[in-house]
Amino acid sequence: MKRLAFTIPLRVAIPSLLLFLGSGLGLYGFITEVKRNYQYQEKQIEQQANFYSEKTVKLLEFILRRFPNSNSTLDGAKLVIGETGEQPNLELSAFMDENYMIIFSNHYDLQKRSIVDTNLAYLYPQIIQVQQTQVADKNWSDNRQTLKVITPVTLPPKPNELRSQVGIFLSIYDLNQIKKQSYQEALNRSIKMNGMVLGFCLLVWLFLELTLTKRVSRLVLVSQNLAQGNLSDRSRLQGSDELAKISISFDKMADKIEQDTHILQKSQLELQEKATELETALIQLKQTQTQLLQSEKMSSLGQLVAGIAHEINNPVSFIFGNITYAQEYSDSLLNLIALYQQYYPEPYPEIQVELKDLELDFLETDLNKIFQSMRVGSQRIADIVQSLRSFSRLDEADLKTVDLHENLDNTLMLLKHRLKAQSSRPEIQVVKQYGNIPLIQCYAGQLNQVFMNIIINGIDALDLVQYKTQPLTSPQIMIHTETMTDSKHKTWVKIKISDNGLGMSETVKNRIFEPFFTTKPVGQGTGMGLAISYQIVVEKHQGQLLCMSQPGEGSTFVITLPLLIMSSTEAVAHH
């Protein structure tokens, strides 16, 4: 209960507790009412059974003694048994002679039959005991739904006999219907009582809600808002009780926190204003890169990248060009300090303290490292700028009609050194499946760049496979060419370049044509090769460049090119 008190909100705990208590009281009252009614009904049935059994037995004994051998005896006994059948809740009444033969019964199918031949045979041992003891026996069923009363009946002696005979009168009372009725009555009374109890609980809950829960919830809400940074919210509870006093103290504390927070925020703003220009430039560069990746589609990315490359190139050239002079100046200053230390080994104490604070030896060593890092970073940015220019520039060469097979063979010749066997893999086999394709009009140099980028990516993928563990697997690059005709009877040339490397995941495959995206380690790729290839194929040659890959099944790049490149006016009309 202690744990529940701290984990369940009051707005839930109070009505839940009241509902639990009300329901518990209602259930207890219902069970008590049903039990009391059942006991009352059982007592009534027992009294009824005693009365009618004694009455019926006396009438039977009187009739049998008064008219021992006449038809009126049978008629009278039958009439008595018939009257017992009209008693409420009486399921069965039967009169048996000394030999357990049922003489009369309100169930006519039992008459003239021995008790052992009926479904009442299970009472035979009890009937024998009553006959022997001549003492009535009453017993309830296990579920107390049935009362069986076995009563002895003294019969006149048979002819030529002096002893009296002992018959049996059996009556069975069924309480199912009366108990169902009692249950329903108790249920109705309990529902009414529960309604009253729940109504009272509702009134108690409303009282607690207005006087306690609502006010506590207000304090909790204000404290949560304060924790989340909403420092202007106040509880302002009315009254003079303990909660109102807590509210006043809490509001004063919130005022103090708000004042201190404003002072702290003002100090943070002042510190932010003193940030270095290098941090500002870095933020601007990241924002520019994000806009480059997200704001424009691939169709207009070339012009945007060209502008960014031009803007970055000037400050990078300025930084890269002045690093040498900056290092020379710093070396000159350090040499000058060294001369001062040589010819003035005992400077003033203030100078000695300053030199100790500067850690001149560390500064001299670290300054060279800083200049070297700046050179590497500037060169890296220059390489990226060069890739951006390659990606964005328009080819000034004229369109040429070329044989793509010769372009592919020339590219493979340039990459022959990459195809040779390495320490981590055997030689890469190039499988050519050249079809009968016509000459096409294209920018030959740019297509060579596309072929080289895709084949190099295939070689890099095959380098990742550890063929030492798979000696029977041979690394391969397959090149397949063919012609195809679309629904508009336009002829296209299709080039498929495949490898049997590790393949790509769906996430990587969806991003391979994005600028700057690469899965290679830093320094081994700029992430511009496939982006440039996509721009060359799609924008310059009005074709398609697709990638198909599954993890563990290699990758296939499909290049589709038209035989003739349409002018911009023709392309618009075609679309």
Side-chain angles (χ1 to χ4, degrees), residues 60 105 119 166 174 178 228 290 327 356 368 472 478 501:
L60 287 174
S105 174
N119 57 356
V166 178
D174 184 11
I178 191 172
Q228 295 174 358
T290 302
Q327 187 170 12
K356 184 177 180 181
N368 291 326
L472 298 180
M478 292 146 281

Side-chain angles (χ1 to χ4, degrees), residues 346-387:
E346 298 295 334
Y348 289 104
E350 291 83 359
I351 296 177
Q352 291 181 354
V353 171
E354 187 67 21
L355 287 174
K356 184 177 180 181
D357 292 340
L358 283 177
E359 297 182 1
L360 188 60
D361 294 337
F362 171 78
L363 187 147
E364 182 177 0
T365 303
D366 195 54
L367 193 59
N368 291 326
K369 295 180 180 179
I370 290 174
F371 281 118
Q372 183 62 27
S373 298
M374 292 173 67
R375 283 195 183 92
V376 174
S378 299
Q379 185 61 47
R380 177 67 177 160
I381 296 176
D383 293 340
I384 295 175
V385 170
Q386 183 61 36
S387 297

Side-chain angles (χ1 to χ4, degrees), residues 80 151 162 181 266 294 310 367 421 440 499 541 544 556:
V80 170
T151 309
L162 296 178
Q181 184 177 356
K266 185 177 180 180
Q294 298 181 355
H310 178 72
L367 193 59
I440 72 167
D499 65 73
H541 291 83
Q544 291 181 344
T556 299

Side-chain angles (χ1 to χ4, degrees), residues 437-438 440 482-486 488-494 560-564:
I437 63 174
I440 72 167
E482 63 178 342
T483 57
M484 56 177 292
T485 304
D486 61 14
K488 297 180 180 180
H489 305 288
K490 183 178 179 180
T491 303
W492 301 76
V493 174
K494 180 183 289 186
T560 307
L561 299 170
L563 295 183
L564 296 175

Side-chain angles (χ1 to χ4, degrees), residues 155-341:
L155 304 177
K158 293 181 179 181
N160 301 322
E161 289 185 4
L162 296 178
R163 68 176 182 86
S164 299
Q165 301 179 49
V166 178
I168 296 297
F169 176 68
L170 172 65
S171 57
I172 300 177
Y173 293 85
D174 184 11
L175 275 71
N176 279 317
Q177 188 62 33
I178 191 172
K179 284 193 174 183
K180 287 181 180 178
Q181 184 177 356
S182 297
Y183 180 87
Q184 188 62 43
E185 292 175 356
L187 180 61
N188 294 336
R189 286 193 296 270
S190 296
I191 290 174
K192 294 178 182 179
M193 182 60 67
N194 283 350
M196 296 175 62
V197 172
L198 291 177
F200 175 76
C201 292
L202 178 61
L203 293 176
V204 174
W205 172 71
L206 288 175
F207 173 77
L208 293 176
E209 175 70 17
L210 295 176
T211 59
L212 177 62
T213 308
K214 186 176 181 180
R215 305 175 77 199
V216 171
S217 299
R218 175 60 184 166
L219 281 174
V220 172
L221 177 62
V222 172
S223 64
Q224 290 175 345
N225 291 339
L226 183 63
Q228 295 174 358
N230 184 4
L231 304 179
S232 60
D233 197 6
R234 299 292 182 270
S235 57
R236 296 187 178 91
L237 297 182
Q238 302 296 324
S240 58
D241 58 353
E242 289 79 359
L243 287 177
K245 295 178 180 178
I246 293 175
S247 172
I248 294 173
S249 301
F250 184 84
D251 290 345
K252 290 181 179 179
M253 179 185 68
D255 291 337
K256 178 63 175 174
I257 293 175
E258 186 176 13
Q259 293 175 1
D260 294 342
T261 303
H262 287 322
I263 295 174
L264 179 61
Q265 290 175 348
K266 185 177 180 180
S267 301
Q268 289 177 344
L269 290 175
E270 293 176 353
L271 291 175
Q272 291 175 356
E273 292 174 356
K274 297 178 182 178
T276 62
E277 294 181 0
L278 182 60
E279 292 174 339
T280 303
L282 179 61
I283 293 174
Q284 291 176 350
L285 182 61
K286 288 183 178 179
Q287 291 175 348
T288 303
Q289 182 181 3
T290 302
Q291 292 173 359
L292 174 64
L293 295 175
Q294 298 181 355
S295 63
E296 295 294 333
K297 295 182 179 179
M298 186 63 71
S299 60
S300 61
L301 190 58
Q303 296 178 358
L304 178 61
V305 170
I308 294 175
H310 178 72
E311 293 297 328
I312 295 177
N313 187 57
N314 289 335
V316 169
S317 299
F318 173 78
I319 294 172
F320 191 76
N322 285 284
I323 288 175
T324 303
Y325 300 110
Q327 187 170 12
E328 290 178 357
Y329 299 157
S330 63
D331 290 341
S332 298
L333 291 175
L334 291 173
N335 290 333
L336 180 61
I337 294 174
L339 289 175
Y340 269 102
Q341 289 178 333

Side-chain angles (χ1 to χ4, degrees), residues 498-546:
S498 306
D499 65 73
N500 58 349
L502 297 177
M504 291 178 280
S505 65
E506 191 70 19
T507 303
V508 173
K509 186 178 70 173
N510 292 334
R511 298 190 61 191
I512 57 174
F513 296 125
E514 294 181 8
F516 307 111
F517 176 77
T518 179
T519 58
K520 298 177 181 178
V522 177
Q524 298 185 16
T526 61
M528 295 297 296
L530 290 178
I532 294 173
S533 300
Y534 189 91
Q535 188 253 0
I536 291 173
V537 173
V538 176
E539 296 185 10
K540 297 289 292 185
H541 291 83
Q542 301 166 8
Q544 291 181 344
L545 177 56
L546 304 175

